[in-house]
């Protein structure tokens, strides 16, 4: 697993947290929730790609 992936996820988390706080303080709770959900989807897509890569590696390792 690459360390860059962890840093990317952390950066997205920090950015989403800051945007969420700014939008919540401005009274735009709906946009804050949508920003949080969008950040979650982006991170999940990154993790799913890594899990797919892991499954491919295991499949090739055992010759399946």
């Amino acid at each position: 697993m690459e360390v860059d992936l962890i840093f990317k996820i952390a950066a997205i988390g920090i950015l989403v947290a800051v945007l969420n706080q700014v939008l919540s303080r401005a009274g735009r709770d709906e946009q804050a929730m949508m920003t949080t959900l969008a950040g979650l989807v982006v991170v999940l897509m990154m993790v799913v790609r890594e899990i797919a890569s892991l499954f491919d590696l295991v499949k090739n390792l055992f010759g399946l």
Side-chain angles (χ1 to χ4, degrees):
M1 185 163 151
E2 298 177 9
V3 178
D4 293 341
L5 179 66
I6 296 171
F7 287 137
K8 286 178 186 176
I9 291 173
I12 291 170
I14 291 168
L15 182 65
V16 167
V18 168
L19 285 173
N20 190 7
Q21 288 297 321
V22 168
L23 289 170
S24 291
R25 303 265 183 201
R28 298 185 180 256
D29 292 327
E30 293 85 12
Q31 284 88 0
M33 180 63 70
M34 293 304 289
T35 304
T36 304
L37 290 176
L40 180 65
V41 167
V42 169
V43 169
L44 284 177
M45 292 301 292
M46 293 168 62
V47 171
V48 164
R49 275 192 221 129
E50 291 297 318
I51 290 173
S53 174
L54 173 67
F55 283 146
D56 287 339
L57 178 67
V58 170
K59 189 168 85 172
N60 290 334
L61 182 66
F62 292 111
L64 299 174

